């Protein structure tokens, strides 16, 4: 059974003065069985969030990492620098593809670095609106996967807890979401790209696929009702404790239902 995951991407919000308090409130409001919770604050807030979450089982993630271990890369952060601060990392978010021109090849290098450094990666993929409207969404996402994953060590990725987030770019921060049917179809296309094009075979079934793009407590249920979707990568709504409480509570119901369907404990 794949884990149910709610990952909070705080983007460039919060400061070291307020991030810990917000994280502690969210942790206390989201104590539910069967749901993996991750909070990804800005780099400079990682220590405050880590300290605030000590003693909870909410994980801390970074929003990016450099692919080299050290060197002349002004303004960048290495995996070694994240040791002790974060155990997860978001890679290839569309805002980084857009603003930092991150290519699939570069994202693939970051992925390899994350895995070899013990950081659990969430690889973001997703199409632009024009690409969806011209019927090329699956092709675009498959190309992103091939570009980042070709030649990677599948066993290391699976053992490292590799996660994919399908985030249609046009749904991020817009209040507009993909339909749950389209998101589920994309999750299936993602797993078949892994299984067939990339030769992952049955290992593809082990990879959690999250949906991201204007997820809220009001709409997350539609996505979690789809068996191919294993949670959400949430931006705006993840800064609101009430919203996080609602989303994690809904995910806990799904976790229980899926465990019951497989005759397993949550
Ligand atoms: C995101 O940051 O990955 C995201 C999906 O943002 P939002 O939930 O605000 O659309």
């Amino acid at each position: 059974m794949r884990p149910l995951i709610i990952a909070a991407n705080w983007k460039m919000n919060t400061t070291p003065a307020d991030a810990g308090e917000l994280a502690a409130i969210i942790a206390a409001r989201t104590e539910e069985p069967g749901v993996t919770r991750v909070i990804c604050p800005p780099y400079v807030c990682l220590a405050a969030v880590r300290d605030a979450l000590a003693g909870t089982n909410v994980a801390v993630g970074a929003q990016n990492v450099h692919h080299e271990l050290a060197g002349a890369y002004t303004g960048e952060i290495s995996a070694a620098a994240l040791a002790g601060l974060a155990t997860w990392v978001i890679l290839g978010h569309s805002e980084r593809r857009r603003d930092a021109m991150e290519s699939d090849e570069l994202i693939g290098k970051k992925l390899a670095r994350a895995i070899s450094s013990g950081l659990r990666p969430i690889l973001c993929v997703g199409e632009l609106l024009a690409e969806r409207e011209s019927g090329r969404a699956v092709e675009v996402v498959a190309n992103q996967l091939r570009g980042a994953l070709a030649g990677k060590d599948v066993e290391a990725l699976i053992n490292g807890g590799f996660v994919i987030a399908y985030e249609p770019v046009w749904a991020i921060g817009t209040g507009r979401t993909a339909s749950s049917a389209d998101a589920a179809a994309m999750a299936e296309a993602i797993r078949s790209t892994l299984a067939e094009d990339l030769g992952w075979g049955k290992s593809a079934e082990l990879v959690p696929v999250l949906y991201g793009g204007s997820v809220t407590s009001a709409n997350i249920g539609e996505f979690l009702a789809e068996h191919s979707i294993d949670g959400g990568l949430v931006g705006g709504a993840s800064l609101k404790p009430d919203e996080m409480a609602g989303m994690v509570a809904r995910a806990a119901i799904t976790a229980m239902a899926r465990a019951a369907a497989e005759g397993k404990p949550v």
Side-chain angles (χ1 to χ4, degrees):
M1 195 177 130
R2 296 185 297 262
L4 256 289
I5 300 167
I6 301 293
N9 176 15
W10 284 0
K11 312 194 189 203
M12 200 173 72
N13 296 296
T14 70
T15 69
D18 58 28
E21 191 182 5
L22 180 59
I25 293 168
I26 288 173
R29 299 274 320 268
T30 56
E31 277 178 21
E32 301 277 355
V35 184
T36 300
R37 296 165 292 166
V38 190
I39 295 179
C40 305
Y43 283 134
V44 293
C45 301
L46 285 169
V49 169
R50 174 205 56 196
D51 293 347
L53 296 178
T56 75
N57 61 2
V58 183
V60 183
Q63 298 172 15
N64 182 31
V65 71
H66 199 269
H67 61 284
E68 295 290 353
L69 261 185
Y73 303 102
T74 303
E76 295 288 347
I77 300 288
S78 69
L82 293 176
L85 289 172
T87 53
W88 289 62
V89 64
I90 298 170
L91 295 176
H93 192 282
S94 65
E95 287 154 13
R96 292 207 57 81
R97 291 177 188 262
R98 178 195 67 198
D99 300 337
M101 310 295 165
E102 288 192 2
S103 65
D104 295 318
E105 191 195 351
L106 177 69
I107 294 161
K109 288 183 186 170
K110 289 170 181 266
L111 190 56
R113 177 62 65 201
I115 288 290
S116 67
S117 307
L119 287 167
R120 190 168 176 183
I122 301 175
L123 170 66
C124 301
V125 292
E127 81 285 353
L128 302 171
L129 186 57
E131 292 164 339
R132 161 106 1 220
E133 286 177 345
S134 61
R136 291 188 298 121
V138 168
E139 176 196 330
V140 167
V141 168
N143 281 338
Q144 291 172 339
L145 292 170
R146 283 191 280 264
L149 295 173
K152 294 287 180 300
D153 180 341
V154 180
E155 206 183 323
L157 282 167
I158 296 292
N159 291 340
F162 177 57
V163 173
I164 293 176
Y166 167 54
E167 300 206 306
V169 179
W170 47 271
I172 297 179
T174 60
R176 200 175 155 190
T177 64
S179 71
S180 55
D182 282 349
M186 186 61 88
E188 278 157 26
I190 285 170
R191 290 204 185 86
S192 67
T193 301
L194 299 183
E196 286 147 37
D197 297 15
L198 287 157
W200 288 33
K202 288 199 186 321
S203 295
E205 286 304 310
L206 302 174
V207 178
V209 176
L210 314 183
Y211 169 76
S214 299
V215 172
T216 65
S217 60
N219 63 32
I220 195 164
E222 295 163 36
F223 297 102
L224 294 176
E226 301 287 349
H227 269 267
S228 54
I229 298 176
D230 303 303
L233 177 56
V234 188
S238 73
L239 290 155
K240 299 175 186 158
D242 285 352
E243 282 293 307
M244 280 297 282
M247 290 184 281
V248 175
R250 183 60 188 76
I253 292 170
T254 300
M256 256 183 287
R258 291 189 187 178
E262 293 190 20
K264 293 185 178 147
V266 181

